[in-house]
Short mmCIF file of all heavy atoms in Angstrom, two decimals:
data_model
loop_
_atom_site.label_atom_id
_atom_site.label_comp_id
_atom_site.label_asym_id
_atom_site.label_seq_id
_atom_site.Cartn_x
_atom_site.Cartn_y
_atom_site.Cartn_z
N MET A 29 5.65 197.92 -50.85
CA MET A 29 5.04 197.13 -51.94
C MET A 29 4.67 198.07 -53.06
O MET A 29 4.93 199.24 -53.01
CB MET A 29 3.80 196.40 -51.40
CG MET A 29 4.01 195.45 -50.26
SD MET A 29 4.98 193.96 -50.74
CE MET A 29 3.71 192.94 -51.39
N GLY A 30 4.06 197.49 -54.08
CA GLY A 30 3.68 198.30 -55.23
C GLY A 30 4.74 198.14 -56.33
O GLY A 30 5.94 198.31 -56.07
N GLY A 31 4.28 197.85 -57.56
CA GLY A 31 5.28 197.67 -58.66
C GLY A 31 6.02 196.35 -58.52
O GLY A 31 6.96 196.12 -59.30
N PHE A 32 5.65 195.53 -57.63
CA PHE A 32 6.29 194.32 -57.37
C PHE A 32 5.39 193.14 -57.75
O PHE A 32 4.36 192.98 -57.12
CB PHE A 32 6.77 194.24 -55.91
CG PHE A 32 7.26 192.94 -55.45
CD1 PHE A 32 8.41 192.38 -56.00
CD2 PHE A 32 6.64 192.24 -54.43
CE1 PHE A 32 8.85 191.16 -55.58
CE2 PHE A 32 7.04 191.02 -53.98
CZ PHE A 32 8.19 190.48 -54.56
N GLU A 33 5.73 192.44 -58.81
CA GLU A 33 4.79 191.41 -59.27
C GLU A 33 5.05 190.08 -58.62
O GLU A 33 6.14 189.62 -58.45
CB GLU A 33 4.98 191.25 -60.77
CG GLU A 33 4.46 192.44 -61.54
CD GLU A 33 5.09 192.66 -62.87
OE1 GLU A 33 5.97 191.79 -63.26
OE2 GLU A 33 4.82 193.70 -63.50
N MET A 34 3.96 189.47 -58.22
CA MET A 34 4.05 188.12 -57.59
C MET A 34 3.44 187.08 -58.54
O MET A 34 2.48 187.27 -59.14
CB MET A 34 3.19 188.14 -56.30
CG MET A 34 3.83 188.86 -55.22
SD MET A 34 2.74 188.95 -53.75
CE MET A 34 3.17 187.49 -52.96
N LYS A 35 4.12 185.96 -58.50
CA LYS A 35 3.62 184.77 -59.24
C LYS A 35 3.54 183.58 -58.37
O LYS A 35 4.33 183.45 -57.47
CB LYS A 35 4.56 184.52 -60.44
CG LYS A 35 4.46 185.56 -61.49
CD LYS A 35 5.18 185.06 -62.79
CE LYS A 35 5.04 186.12 -63.90
NZ LYS A 35 5.26 185.64 -65.20
N ALA A 36 2.58 182.71 -58.64
CA ALA A 36 2.43 181.52 -57.87
C ALA A 36 2.70 180.34 -58.78
O ALA A 36 2.49 180.43 -59.96
CB ALA A 36 1.00 181.41 -57.33
N SER A 37 3.22 179.27 -58.18
CA SER A 37 3.34 178.05 -58.94
C SER A 37 3.06 176.85 -58.04
O SER A 37 3.17 176.92 -56.80
CB SER A 37 4.68 177.90 -59.55
OG SER A 37 5.66 177.86 -58.55
N VAL A 38 2.57 175.75 -58.64
CA VAL A 38 2.29 174.56 -57.87
C VAL A 38 3.15 173.41 -58.42
O VAL A 38 3.24 173.24 -59.65
CB VAL A 38 0.80 174.16 -58.04
CG1 VAL A 38 0.51 172.82 -57.30
CG2 VAL A 38 -0.08 175.26 -57.38
N ASP A 39 3.80 172.74 -57.52
CA ASP A 39 4.61 171.54 -57.94
C ASP A 39 3.63 170.37 -58.06
O ASP A 39 3.10 169.88 -57.10
CB ASP A 39 5.68 171.27 -56.87
CG ASP A 39 6.66 170.18 -57.39
OD1 ASP A 39 6.19 169.30 -58.10
OD2 ASP A 39 7.82 170.18 -56.99
N ARG A 40 3.37 170.01 -59.32
CA ARG A 40 2.38 168.95 -59.61
C ARG A 40 2.78 167.64 -59.07
O ARG A 40 1.95 166.73 -58.86
CB ARG A 40 2.19 168.83 -61.13
CG ARG A 40 1.61 170.15 -61.76
CD ARG A 40 1.34 169.90 -63.23
NE ARG A 40 0.36 168.83 -63.49
CZ ARG A 40 -0.97 169.00 -63.42
NH1 ARG A 40 -1.46 170.19 -63.18
NH2 ARG A 40 -1.78 168.01 -63.65
N ASP A 41 4.06 167.39 -58.86
CA ASP A 41 4.52 166.12 -58.33
C ASP A 41 4.29 166.00 -56.81
O ASP A 41 4.30 164.93 -56.24
CB ASP A 41 6.02 165.87 -58.56
CG ASP A 41 6.34 165.78 -60.07
OD1 ASP A 41 5.43 165.31 -60.79
OD2 ASP A 41 7.39 166.26 -60.49
N ILE A 42 4.08 167.17 -56.17
CA ILE A 42 3.88 167.19 -54.74
C ILE A 42 2.46 167.34 -54.32
O ILE A 42 2.02 166.77 -53.30
CB ILE A 42 4.80 168.35 -54.08
CG1 ILE A 42 6.28 168.07 -54.40
CG2 ILE A 42 4.52 168.45 -52.61
CD1 ILE A 42 7.19 169.18 -53.88
N CYS A 43 1.70 168.10 -55.07
CA CYS A 43 0.27 168.38 -54.74
C CYS A 43 -0.47 167.06 -54.56
O CYS A 43 -0.41 166.14 -55.43
CB CYS A 43 -0.35 169.20 -55.88
SG CYS A 43 -2.10 169.48 -55.70
N ILE A 44 -1.26 166.95 -53.47
CA ILE A 44 -2.07 165.78 -53.21
C ILE A 44 -3.55 166.01 -53.54
O ILE A 44 -4.39 165.22 -53.25
CB ILE A 44 -1.89 165.28 -51.80
CG1 ILE A 44 -2.24 166.39 -50.79
CG2 ILE A 44 -0.49 164.73 -51.60
CD1 ILE A 44 -2.31 165.95 -49.36
N GLY A 45 -3.81 167.19 -54.12
CA GLY A 45 -5.23 167.48 -54.55
C GLY A 45 -6.26 167.65 -53.42
O GLY A 45 -7.39 167.34 -53.60
N CYS A 46 -5.75 168.15 -52.30
CA CYS A 46 -6.66 168.28 -51.10
C CYS A 46 -7.74 169.32 -51.33
O CYS A 46 -8.73 169.37 -50.71
CB CYS A 46 -5.87 168.56 -49.84
SG CYS A 46 -5.19 170.23 -49.77
N GLY A 47 -7.43 170.26 -52.17
CA GLY A 47 -8.42 171.36 -52.55
C GLY A 47 -8.39 172.54 -51.67
O GLY A 47 -9.12 173.50 -51.85
N LEU A 48 -7.50 172.59 -50.65
CA LEU A 48 -7.52 173.65 -49.69
C LEU A 48 -7.16 175.01 -50.30
O LEU A 48 -7.78 176.05 -50.06
CB LEU A 48 -6.48 173.36 -48.55
CG LEU A 48 -6.62 174.15 -47.26
CD1 LEU A 48 -8.01 173.98 -46.66
CD2 LEU A 48 -5.58 173.64 -46.27
N CYS A 49 -6.21 175.02 -51.22
CA CYS A 49 -5.85 176.29 -51.88
C CYS A 49 -6.99 176.85 -52.68
O CYS A 49 -7.19 178.04 -52.74
CB CYS A 49 -4.61 176.08 -52.69
SG CYS A 49 -4.68 174.81 -53.91
N GLU A 50 -7.73 175.97 -53.28
CA GLU A 50 -8.87 176.46 -54.11
C GLU A 50 -9.97 177.05 -53.20
O GLU A 50 -10.55 178.01 -53.55
CB GLU A 50 -9.44 175.29 -54.96
CG GLU A 50 -10.51 175.73 -55.95
CD GLU A 50 -11.08 174.60 -56.76
OE1 GLU A 50 -11.15 173.46 -56.21
OE2 GLU A 50 -11.53 174.85 -57.87
N ILE A 51 -10.12 176.41 -52.06
CA ILE A 51 -11.10 176.96 -51.06
C ILE A 51 -10.61 178.32 -50.55
O ILE A 51 -11.41 179.27 -50.44
CB ILE A 51 -11.35 175.99 -49.93
CG1 ILE A 51 -12.03 174.72 -50.43
CG2 ILE A 51 -12.14 176.65 -48.84
CD1 ILE A 51 -12.04 173.55 -49.48
N THR A 52 -9.35 178.43 -50.27
CA THR A 52 -8.79 179.64 -49.66
C THR A 52 -8.72 180.75 -50.65
O THR A 52 -8.99 181.92 -50.35
CB THR A 52 -7.36 179.33 -49.10
OG1 THR A 52 -7.47 178.28 -48.20
CG2 THR A 52 -6.74 180.55 -48.44
N CYS A 53 -8.33 180.47 -51.90
CA CYS A 53 -8.10 181.45 -52.87
C CYS A 53 -8.47 181.06 -54.29
O CYS A 53 -7.61 180.82 -55.14
CB CYS A 53 -6.55 181.87 -52.85
SG CYS A 53 -6.19 183.39 -53.54
N PRO A 54 -9.78 180.86 -54.51
CA PRO A 54 -10.28 180.32 -55.77
C PRO A 54 -9.98 181.19 -57.02
O PRO A 54 -10.04 180.67 -58.12
CB PRO A 54 -11.85 180.17 -55.55
CG PRO A 54 -12.12 181.15 -54.46
CD PRO A 54 -10.89 181.22 -53.62
N GLU A 55 -9.65 182.41 -56.81
CA GLU A 55 -9.32 183.30 -58.01
C GLU A 55 -7.90 183.04 -58.49
O GLU A 55 -7.56 183.51 -59.56
CB GLU A 55 -9.50 184.79 -57.61
CG GLU A 55 -10.87 185.23 -57.30
CD GLU A 55 -11.18 185.17 -55.80
OE1 GLU A 55 -10.43 184.53 -55.03
OE2 GLU A 55 -12.21 185.79 -55.41
N VAL A 56 -7.10 182.31 -57.70
CA VAL A 56 -5.75 182.05 -58.11
C VAL A 56 -5.49 180.54 -58.36
O VAL A 56 -4.83 180.19 -59.33
CB VAL A 56 -4.72 182.53 -57.05
CG1 VAL A 56 -3.28 182.15 -57.43
CG2 VAL A 56 -4.86 184.09 -56.90
N PHE A 57 -6.11 179.68 -57.54
CA PHE A 57 -5.87 178.25 -57.59
C PHE A 57 -7.15 177.53 -57.99
O PHE A 57 -8.25 177.82 -57.47
CB PHE A 57 -5.34 177.67 -56.31
CG PHE A 57 -4.11 178.36 -55.86
CD1 PHE A 57 -4.13 179.37 -54.89
CD2 PHE A 57 -2.89 177.96 -56.33
CE1 PHE A 57 -2.96 180.00 -54.43
CE2 PHE A 57 -1.70 178.61 -55.85
CZ PHE A 57 -1.76 179.62 -54.93
N GLU A 58 -6.96 176.49 -58.86
CA GLU A 58 -8.12 175.72 -59.24
C GLU A 58 -7.64 174.28 -59.51
O GLU A 58 -6.60 174.02 -60.10
CB GLU A 58 -8.70 176.26 -60.56
CG GLU A 58 -10.06 175.85 -60.92
CD GLU A 58 -10.61 176.54 -62.12
OE1 GLU A 58 -11.14 177.68 -61.97
OE2 GLU A 58 -10.42 176.00 -63.24
N LEU A 59 -8.40 173.30 -59.01
CA LEU A 59 -8.07 171.90 -59.26
C LEU A 59 -8.34 171.57 -60.72
O LEU A 59 -9.45 171.92 -61.20
CB LEU A 59 -8.85 170.93 -58.33
CG LEU A 59 -8.48 170.99 -56.87
CD1 LEU A 59 -9.17 169.82 -56.14
CD2 LEU A 59 -6.95 170.92 -56.58
N ASP A 60 -7.44 171.01 -61.42
CA ASP A 60 -7.70 170.62 -62.80
C ASP A 60 -8.36 169.24 -62.91
O ASP A 60 -8.76 168.65 -61.87
CB ASP A 60 -6.45 170.69 -63.66
CG ASP A 60 -5.43 169.66 -63.27
OD1 ASP A 60 -5.76 168.71 -62.53
OD2 ASP A 60 -4.22 169.78 -63.68
N ASP A 61 -8.54 168.75 -64.11
CA ASP A 61 -9.33 167.46 -64.22
C ASP A 61 -8.54 166.24 -63.69
O ASP A 61 -9.05 165.18 -63.65
CB ASP A 61 -9.86 167.21 -65.66
CG ASP A 61 -8.68 167.44 -66.71
OD1 ASP A 61 -7.51 167.43 -66.31
OD2 ASP A 61 -9.01 167.49 -67.90
N GLU A 62 -7.27 166.44 -63.37
CA GLU A 62 -6.50 165.40 -62.68
C GLU A 62 -6.45 165.58 -61.19
O GLU A 62 -5.77 164.91 -60.47
CB GLU A 62 -5.08 165.37 -63.24
CG GLU A 62 -4.97 164.89 -64.70
CD GLU A 62 -3.56 165.06 -65.24
OE1 GLU A 62 -2.63 164.72 -64.53
OE2 GLU A 62 -3.40 165.57 -66.38
N MET A 63 -7.30 166.54 -60.71
CA MET A 63 -7.36 166.89 -59.29
C MET A 63 -6.04 167.35 -58.76
O MET A 63 -5.62 167.07 -57.60
CB MET A 63 -7.89 165.65 -58.44
CG MET A 63 -9.32 165.30 -58.81
SD MET A 63 -10.50 166.63 -58.56
CE MET A 63 -10.69 166.55 -56.81
N ILE A 64 -5.31 168.10 -59.60
CA ILE A 64 -4.10 168.75 -59.15
C ILE A 64 -4.29 170.25 -59.31
O ILE A 64 -4.93 170.70 -60.27
CB ILE A 64 -2.91 168.36 -60.11
CG1 ILE A 64 -2.70 166.82 -60.16
CG2 ILE A 64 -1.66 169.02 -59.69
CD1 ILE A 64 -2.14 166.19 -58.95
N SER A 65 -3.81 170.96 -58.28
CA SER A 65 -4.00 172.36 -58.30
C SER A 65 -3.18 173.00 -59.40
O SER A 65 -2.08 172.73 -59.64
CB SER A 65 -3.56 172.95 -56.97
OG SER A 65 -3.64 174.34 -56.99
N THR A 66 -3.90 174.00 -60.07
CA THR A 66 -3.17 174.79 -61.10
C THR A 66 -3.40 176.28 -60.83
O THR A 66 -4.38 176.64 -60.22
CB THR A 66 -3.66 174.46 -62.53
OG1 THR A 66 -5.12 174.61 -62.52
CG2 THR A 66 -3.34 173.07 -62.95
N VAL A 67 -2.42 177.06 -61.25
CA VAL A 67 -2.54 178.49 -61.08
C VAL A 67 -3.26 179.04 -62.29
O VAL A 67 -2.81 178.83 -63.42
CB VAL A 67 -1.12 179.11 -60.91
CG1 VAL A 67 -1.23 180.60 -60.78
CG2 VAL A 67 -0.45 178.47 -59.67
N ILE A 68 -4.33 179.80 -62.05
CA ILE A 68 -5.17 180.28 -63.13
C ILE A 68 -4.92 181.73 -63.52
O ILE A 68 -5.58 182.32 -64.34
CB ILE A 68 -6.65 180.00 -62.88
CG1 ILE A 68 -7.15 180.61 -61.59
CG2 ILE A 68 -6.92 178.50 -62.91
CD1 ILE A 68 -8.62 180.50 -61.39
N VAL A 69 -3.95 182.34 -62.82
CA VAL A 69 -3.59 183.73 -63.18
C VAL A 69 -2.09 183.74 -63.53
O VAL A 69 -1.35 182.98 -63.01
CB VAL A 69 -3.88 184.80 -62.09
CG1 VAL A 69 -5.40 184.90 -61.84
CG2 VAL A 69 -3.18 184.39 -60.75
N ASP A 70 -1.76 184.63 -64.44
CA ASP A 70 -0.36 184.80 -64.78
C ASP A 70 0.37 185.52 -63.63
O ASP A 70 1.27 184.94 -62.92
CB ASP A 70 -0.17 185.60 -66.05
CG ASP A 70 1.29 185.69 -66.50
OD1 ASP A 70 2.08 184.83 -66.08
OD2 ASP A 70 1.56 186.60 -67.30
N GLU A 71 -0.01 186.75 -63.34
CA GLU A 71 0.52 187.49 -62.19
C GLU A 71 -0.60 187.59 -61.18
O GLU A 71 -1.79 187.77 -61.52
CB GLU A 71 1.00 188.87 -62.61
CG GLU A 71 2.41 188.82 -63.12
CD GLU A 71 2.67 190.00 -64.05
OE1 GLU A 71 2.05 191.02 -63.93
OE2 GLU A 71 3.60 189.86 -64.91
N ILE A 72 -0.21 187.52 -59.96
CA ILE A 72 -1.25 187.67 -58.86
C ILE A 72 -1.62 189.09 -58.70
O ILE A 72 -0.76 189.95 -58.33
CB ILE A 72 -0.72 187.08 -57.55
CG1 ILE A 72 -0.31 185.58 -57.69
CG2 ILE A 72 -1.79 187.21 -56.47
CD1 ILE A 72 0.43 185.01 -56.53
N PRO A 73 -2.92 189.45 -58.86
CA PRO A 73 -3.30 190.84 -58.67
C PRO A 73 -3.13 191.22 -57.23
O PRO A 73 -3.18 190.36 -56.35
CB PRO A 73 -4.77 190.81 -59.07
CG PRO A 73 -5.00 189.58 -59.82
CD PRO A 73 -3.98 188.60 -59.32
N GLU A 74 -2.88 192.50 -56.96
CA GLU A 74 -2.57 192.96 -55.57
C GLU A 74 -3.61 192.50 -54.60
O GLU A 74 -3.25 192.18 -53.49
CB GLU A 74 -2.38 194.46 -55.64
CG GLU A 74 -1.24 194.92 -54.75
CD GLU A 74 -0.95 196.45 -54.97
OE1 GLU A 74 -0.48 196.76 -56.13
OE2 GLU A 74 -1.15 197.24 -54.09
N ASP A 75 -4.84 192.61 -54.97
CA ASP A 75 -5.92 192.32 -54.05
C ASP A 75 -6.05 190.84 -53.75
O ASP A 75 -6.81 190.45 -52.83
CB ASP A 75 -7.28 192.95 -54.49
CG ASP A 75 -7.69 192.38 -55.90
OD1 ASP A 75 -6.79 192.00 -56.66
OD2 ASP A 75 -8.90 192.29 -56.13
N LEU A 76 -5.29 189.99 -54.44
CA LEU A 76 -5.34 188.53 -54.18
C LEU A 76 -4.08 188.03 -53.56
O LEU A 76 -3.93 186.84 -53.23
CB LEU A 76 -5.61 187.80 -55.47
CG LEU A 76 -6.96 188.05 -56.20
CD1 LEU A 76 -7.03 187.29 -57.50
CD2 LEU A 76 -8.10 187.70 -55.25
N GLU A 77 -3.08 188.97 -53.34
CA GLU A 77 -1.82 188.50 -52.76
C GLU A 77 -1.95 187.86 -51.39
O GLU A 77 -1.34 186.87 -51.08
CB GLU A 77 -0.84 189.68 -52.68
CG GLU A 77 -0.27 190.14 -53.97
CD GLU A 77 0.59 191.37 -53.93
OE1 GLU A 77 0.78 191.91 -52.84
OE2 GLU A 77 1.03 191.83 -55.01
N GLU A 78 -2.86 188.51 -50.59
CA GLU A 78 -3.01 187.98 -49.28
C GLU A 78 -3.56 186.58 -49.23
O GLU A 78 -3.09 185.70 -48.51
CB GLU A 78 -3.94 188.91 -48.46
CG GLU A 78 -3.65 188.97 -46.97
CD GLU A 78 -4.34 190.13 -46.34
OE1 GLU A 78 -4.13 191.32 -46.78
OE2 GLU A 78 -5.11 189.90 -45.37
N CYS A 79 -4.59 186.30 -50.04
CA CYS A 79 -5.14 184.94 -50.01
C CYS A 79 -4.27 183.95 -50.63
O CYS A 79 -4.14 182.82 -50.27
CB CYS A 79 -6.58 184.91 -50.57
SG CYS A 79 -6.70 184.88 -52.37
N ALA A 80 -3.48 184.38 -51.67
CA ALA A 80 -2.51 183.50 -52.27
C ALA A 80 -1.46 183.08 -51.29
O ALA A 80 -1.05 181.92 -51.22
CB ALA A 80 -1.91 184.11 -53.49
N GLU A 81 -0.97 184.05 -50.46
CA GLU A 81 0.06 183.71 -49.46
C GLU A 81 -0.56 182.87 -48.37
O GLU A 81 0.12 181.95 -47.85
CB GLU A 81 0.56 185.03 -48.82
CG GLU A 81 1.54 185.68 -49.83
CD GLU A 81 2.08 187.02 -49.30
OE1 GLU A 81 1.40 187.69 -48.51
OE2 GLU A 81 3.20 187.38 -49.66
N GLU A 82 -1.81 183.04 -48.05
CA GLU A 82 -2.49 182.22 -47.08
C GLU A 82 -2.50 180.78 -47.58
O GLU A 82 -2.28 179.82 -46.87
CB GLU A 82 -3.87 182.74 -46.81
CG GLU A 82 -4.50 182.38 -45.54
CD GLU A 82 -5.88 182.95 -45.33
OE1 GLU A 82 -6.04 184.18 -45.62
OE2 GLU A 82 -6.75 182.22 -44.94
N ALA A 83 -2.91 180.63 -48.84
CA ALA A 83 -2.98 179.29 -49.44
C ALA A 83 -1.57 178.62 -49.43
O ALA A 83 -1.46 177.42 -49.15
CB ALA A 83 -3.47 179.41 -50.91
N GLU A 84 -0.52 179.42 -49.69
CA GLU A 84 0.84 178.87 -49.67
C GLU A 84 1.16 178.34 -48.28
O GLU A 84 1.69 177.23 -48.13
CB GLU A 84 1.81 179.93 -50.08
CG GLU A 84 3.29 179.48 -50.03
CD GLU A 84 4.25 180.62 -50.14
OE1 GLU A 84 3.95 181.75 -49.64
OE2 GLU A 84 5.34 180.43 -50.67
N GLU A 85 0.78 179.09 -47.31
CA GLU A 85 1.08 178.69 -45.88
C GLU A 85 0.21 177.46 -45.46
O GLU A 85 0.73 176.62 -44.69
CB GLU A 85 0.77 179.83 -44.93
CG GLU A 85 1.90 180.88 -44.92
CD GLU A 85 1.44 182.17 -44.25
OE1 GLU A 85 0.54 182.14 -43.36
OE2 GLU A 85 1.98 183.22 -44.60
N GLU A 86 -0.95 177.40 -45.98
CA GLU A 86 -1.86 176.33 -45.53
C GLU A 86 -1.65 174.99 -46.24
O GLU A 86 -2.06 173.94 -45.73
CB GLU A 86 -3.33 176.77 -45.78
CG GLU A 86 -3.83 177.73 -44.75
CD GLU A 86 -5.20 178.23 -45.04
OE1 GLU A 86 -5.77 177.88 -46.12
OE2 GLU A 86 -5.75 178.95 -44.25
N CYS A 87 -1.05 175.02 -47.44
CA CYS A 87 -0.83 173.74 -48.17
C CYS A 87 -0.14 172.68 -47.30
O CYS A 87 1.02 172.92 -46.87
CB CYS A 87 -0.02 174.03 -49.42
SG CYS A 87 0.27 172.50 -50.35
N PRO A 88 -0.79 171.57 -47.08
CA PRO A 88 -0.19 170.52 -46.16
C PRO A 88 1.09 169.94 -46.68
O PRO A 88 1.84 169.36 -45.84
CB PRO A 88 -1.32 169.50 -46.05
CG PRO A 88 -2.17 169.63 -47.32
CD PRO A 88 -2.05 171.14 -47.70
N VAL A 89 1.36 170.03 -47.89
CA VAL A 89 2.58 169.35 -48.45
C VAL A 89 3.56 170.36 -49.07
O VAL A 89 4.50 170.00 -49.73
CB VAL A 89 2.26 168.28 -49.51
CG1 VAL A 89 1.52 167.09 -48.83
CG2 VAL A 89 1.36 168.84 -50.61
N THR A 90 3.30 171.69 -48.77
CA THR A 90 4.19 172.72 -49.26
C THR A 90 4.43 172.65 -50.78
O THR A 90 5.57 172.79 -51.26
CB THR A 90 5.59 172.74 -48.56
OG1 THR A 90 5.42 172.13 -47.27
CG2 THR A 90 6.07 174.17 -48.34
N ALA A 91 3.38 172.47 -51.55
CA ALA A 91 3.46 172.36 -53.05
C ALA A 91 3.46 173.73 -53.69
O ALA A 91 3.79 173.81 -54.85
CB ALA A 91 2.36 171.44 -53.54
N ILE A 92 3.02 174.77 -52.91
CA ILE A 92 2.86 176.08 -53.52
C ILE A 92 4.06 176.97 -53.30
O ILE A 92 4.54 177.02 -52.18
CB ILE A 92 1.54 176.76 -52.99
CG1 ILE A 92 0.33 175.91 -53.32
CG2 ILE A 92 1.45 178.21 -53.52
CD1 ILE A 92 -0.95 176.44 -52.62
N THR A 93 4.53 177.58 -54.30
CA THR A 93 5.57 178.58 -54.21
C THR A 93 5.05 179.90 -54.73
O THR A 93 4.47 179.99 -55.75
CB THR A 93 6.80 178.17 -54.99
OG1 THR A 93 7.17 176.85 -54.64
CG2 THR A 93 7.97 179.10 -54.79
N ILE A 94 5.31 180.94 -53.95
CA ILE A 94 5.02 182.28 -54.39
C ILE A 94 6.25 183.14 -54.32
O ILE A 94 6.93 183.20 -53.33
CB ILE A 94 3.82 182.87 -53.51
CG1 ILE A 94 2.59 182.16 -53.78
CG2 ILE A 94 3.66 184.36 -53.83
CD1 ILE A 94 1.44 182.56 -52.86
N ASP A 95 6.55 183.78 -55.47
CA ASP A 95 7.69 184.67 -55.42
C ASP A 95 7.51 185.75 -56.47
O ASP A 95 6.49 185.81 -57.22
CB ASP A 95 9.00 183.94 -55.62
CG ASP A 95 9.02 183.03 -56.80
OD1 ASP A 95 8.22 183.23 -57.77
OD2 ASP A 95 9.80 182.06 -56.78
FE1 LIG B 13 -2.44 170.75 -53.77
FE2 LIG B 13 -1.49 172.02 -51.71
FE3 LIG B 13 -3.57 173.01 -53.06
FE4 LIG B 13 -3.90 170.89 -51.52
S1 LIG B 13 -3.36 172.99 -50.80
S2 LIG B 13 -4.61 171.15 -53.61
S3 LIG B 13 -1.88 169.85 -51.80
S4 LIG B 13 -1.45 172.75 -53.82
#
């Protein structure tokens, strides 16, 4: 790892607004006023990669993509 930038995205058509990703990784995901998860960072800082990946795995409808 190192020098490898990660980005997260949420498919707004799939997200059901359960809030799990915000609980797991609030520095990266936040529910907006439509109760849809949005990514609040451009690139995921290294120290947040682990929680962002955890949120991706935990999302019940697989709305989160990290690459
Ligand atoms: Fe949406 Fe998935 Fe986050 Fe739940 S865990 S708010 S369904 S992106």
Side-chain angles (χ1 to χ4, degrees):
M29 301 291 276
F32 170 62
E33 290 154 3
M34 288 176 87
K35 289 193 179 197
S37 62
V38 174
D39 189 328
R40 299 184 59 85
D41 296 327
I42 297 177
C43 172
I44 55 169
C46 73
L48 198 57
C49 53
E50 189 182 29
I51 292 166
T52 303
C53 199
E55 294 94 343
V56 175
F57 303 97
E58 196 175 275
L59 292 189
D60 66 14
D61 51 14
E62 292 173 44
M63 296 301 283
I64 303 287
S65 175
T66 52
V67 178
I68 55 172
V69 292
D70 184 23
E71 276 156 23
I72 303 171
E74 219 171 292
D75 58 332
L76 296 177
E77 284 176 2
E78 210 166 305
C79 81
E81 284 177 331
E82 203 179 313
E84 179 192 32
E85 280 165 29
E86 282 176 355
C87 176
V89 292
T90 336
I92 299 171
T93 305
I94 293 174
D95 51 24

